[in-house]
Amino acid sequence: MTMPLMKPRRKNPILRTRQMNLPPWGRSRAAMGLTVAAAEGRFELQACQDCGAVQYPPREACHACLSPRLKWQPQSGAGQLLATTTLHHSNDLFFRERLPWRLGLVHLDQGPTLMVHLHGDVGDQPQRVRVGARLDRAGRAVVIAFPESETLNMADDKTLREMTCDPKFRKVLVTDAMTPAGQSMVRAMVKAGADIVWAGHAEPWKRHGSGLDDITALPQVTLVPLDLTNARSVTELAGEIGGKVDIVVNNAEVHRTFGIAARRGTDAARAEMDINYFGLLRLAQEFGPALKGRSADGTTNATAWVNLLSIYALANFPPHGTFSASKAAAHSLSQCLRAEMRPAGIRVVNVFPGPIDDDWNQGMPPPKLTPDSLASAIVKALRDGVEDVYPGDVAQEWLERWRENPKVLERELAAGG
Ligand SMILES: [Zn+2]
């Protein structure tokens, strides 16, 4: 049984912070399908469209009939553990620093046999296990076997924690605590066991009746001044807490409901860009380096960067046209951030919600995403270690339509949905 994680002791400031050595990350193009599915929390393997054989490792042609028609399909992961072994030596620096490390051989019910990492609660063979795919610290999919049913403190397992971004005992910055969504986020982080939550607050003079009193009453929460439109404000806060933050949740956004013709001038669009795009850029320049430097710093290392984007980042929703454009820009920038953070082992999590139940979506018909469900989707994403999240029914439906045909979706949205 996994022992519950204990709060780490205060670090000796004289000791050098360990540098991150990534696990091996080379993968073939064919194998990338495993990573694509794991990034959204699914375990998929290729299945042959001609004979049905399930493949592992990923390949270009079916191992049974040589057909090239292989399709990635979700797998249950149920299987039989055949053998286990414990590594006490490794030539790879990442594993050498984390020894001993257990591996196993699992025969999946669907056919293939896999070499897997083992969750600590998986005992010796023979036993039934459940295999899942997770992203490792290099951002590539690896397979890990879990016990067949849930066990106590499962998330605290040492092997699993290397693959997830669990907020437990970590220090979190939420960039905007003024909105209901931000306040839900702060509460969810405290509930998930965060050690400290810094709650950003752009206008410290506007406090009364804003719901801030509820969250500041929580002992873990500290209000900090942070105005993403002001480079100096971002620099100052980074100087103060940058070296301690383990998870950044950038939820600050400006949302106006205009297309192009509905309004003259560019003021509203600039305000959106200034927070949604340039705000992210300012934040990433100031907080990024410190986060990267602490990605191997003990059990509560710096681990993740969360961006609140929008499903409108994928395709423009004309009634919210300039907002969509600012989120598309932020999405593009977050892909750059992800590429720059990857070598340090920091995960960039992009969240693409549908309309949130807030002031700016009053005119939208339901279903709308409540601030609490948005916050729990983000916490779940961190715990599961996924990097792309589409919370809510609207986002899921848009995603499906966008994947099917982006051009058709564009035309449908132009015609009013
Ligand atoms: Zn086949």
Side-chain angles (χ1 to χ4, degrees), residues 226-248:
L226 176 61
D227 177 1
L228 289 191
T229 63
N230 181 338
R232 207 166 132 194
S233 157
V234 181
T235 309
E236 277 175 9
L237 186 66
E240 207 175 305
I241 64 167
K244 301 181 213 158
V245 175
D246 303 316
I247 298 175
V248 172

Side-chain angles (χ1 to χ4, degrees), residues 171-175 196-200 220 222 224 241 244-245:
K171 299 177 172 60
V172 184
L173 168 66
V174 176
T175 58
I196 297 179
V197 181
W198 287 289
Q220 295 89 343
T222 306
V224 288
I241 64 167
K244 301 181 213 158
V245 175

Side-chain angles (χ1 to χ4, degrees), residues 47-53 55 61-67 69-70:
C48 175
Q49 299 303 290
D50 288 314
C51 76
Q55 323 280 321
C62 173
H63 69 83
C65 74
L66 289 181
S67 162
R69 299 201 314 128
L70 302 179

Side-chain angles (χ1 to χ4, degrees), residues 400-414:
E400 214 170 286
R401 285 159 74 190
W402 180 77
R403 287 218 167 118
E404 214 167 90
N405 194 328
K407 190 71 190 166
V408 170
L409 178 62
E410 183 198 313
R411 287 301 164 101
E412 285 170 340
L413 292 173

Side-chain angles (χ1 to χ4, degrees), residues 155-289:
D156 291 351
D157 176 56
K158 163 177 124 17
T159 305
L160 185 59
R161 222 173 133 92
E162 289 291 349
M163 302 167 190
T164 61
C165 310
D166 197 328
K168 191 170 178 182
F169 295 136
R170 287 200 161 103
K171 299 177 172 60
V172 184
L173 168 66
V174 176
T175 58
D176 183 5
M178 288 295 278
T179 61
Q183 286 160 15
S184 291
M185 197 65 252
V186 169
R187 279 194 296 269
M189 286 296 171
V190 169
K191 204 172 147 209
D195 185 29
I196 297 179
V197 181
W198 287 289
H201 188 208
E203 297 164 318
W205 57 92
K206 267 197 221 165
R207 172 144 186 189
H208 190 68
S210 53
L212 278 177
D213 293 336
D214 289 349
I215 56 166
T216 44
L218 299 166
Q220 295 89 343
V221 178
T222 306
L223 221 53
V224 288
L226 176 61
D227 177 1
L228 289 191
T229 63
N230 181 338
R232 207 166 132 194
S233 157
V234 181
T235 309
E236 277 175 9
L237 186 66
E240 207 175 305
I241 64 167
K244 301 181 213 158
V245 175
D246 303 316
I247 298 175
V248 172
V249 180
N250 181 23
N251 67 319
E253 64 175 15
V254 172
H255 188 167
R256 300 287 179 266
T257 48
F258 300 111
I260 293 168
R263 198 180 169 93
R264 289 187 64 82
T266 56
D267 289 353
R270 269 174 196 274
E272 286 170 335
M273 273 297 196
D274 206 15
I275 293 267
N276 302 355
Y277 173 76
F278 287 107
L280 168 59
L281 183 59
R282 290 181 193 107
L283 201 65
Q285 284 174 344
E286 295 298 335
F287 281 85

